[in-house]
Amino acid sequence: MGALCSLPVGALLNRLPNSSATVGGSIMLLGAFLAGVIAVLRSTDPAASGLRAGFIGGAVAVCTLAMRVVSMAASDMAAWPLSRVAFWVVASGGVLCVAPLFGLVCGRIGGGLTNTVVSRLVSGTTES
């Protein structure tokens, strides 16, 4: 749910001047944050929701990268050396390993922020 909600926000961020926001990045960060918010409101674990959104964002980023690399290789029509292929495979694996961690952190931040706001609204107290 958070991944789907982050797509319009990511598109708006990409329209800003000098912005290089990507779909995978917006799902990984914003989607995980929103997934943490939704998870707290539904009484589930925000970290797990953020982790899943981060993995989805990483998978989208790797698929986008793979499509770009394949189109670049097809237009170049030259055989790639083994070292270049190995680099892209290792880099894609690294993205798939790191993306859930970003999602986990952003999901916890979203969940913690929501808990704080909801607890203050319910108790009716404000700090000066």
Side-chain angles (χ1 to χ4, degrees), residues 76-96:
D76 200 10
M77 298 303 280
W80 277 23
L82 182 61
S83 61
R84 185 180 290 178
V85 173
F87 169 76
W88 286 112
V89 169
V90 170
S92 297
V95 167
L96 286 177

Side-chain angles (χ1 to χ4, degrees), residues 29-51:
L29 299 174
L30 298 172
F33 180 85
L34 293 172
V37 169
I38 294 168
V40 165
L41 296 175
R42 298 289 181 185
S43 300
T44 59
D45 185 21
S49 298
L51 186 88

Side-chain angles (χ1 to χ4, degrees), residues 3 7 22-29 32 50-68 88-89 91-103:
L7 293 177
T22 62
V23 175
S26 68
I27 292 173
M28 193 182 326
L29 299 174
L51 186 88
R52 287 188 291 269
F55 181 74
I56 291 170
V60 168
V62 167
C63 289
T64 305
L65 176 68
M67 288 180 0
R68 185 175 295 162
W88 286 112
V89 169
S92 297
V95 167
L96 286 177
C97 289
V98 173
L101 297 177
F102 280 115

Side-chain angles (χ1 to χ4, degrees), residues 33-42 46 107-121:
F33 180 85
L34 293 172
V37 169
I38 294 168
V40 165
L41 296 175
R42 298 289 181 185
R108 283 191 179 199
I109 290 171
L113 184 67
T114 304
N115 275 333
T116 302
V117 170
V118 168
S119 67
R120 288 191 181 176
L121 287 175

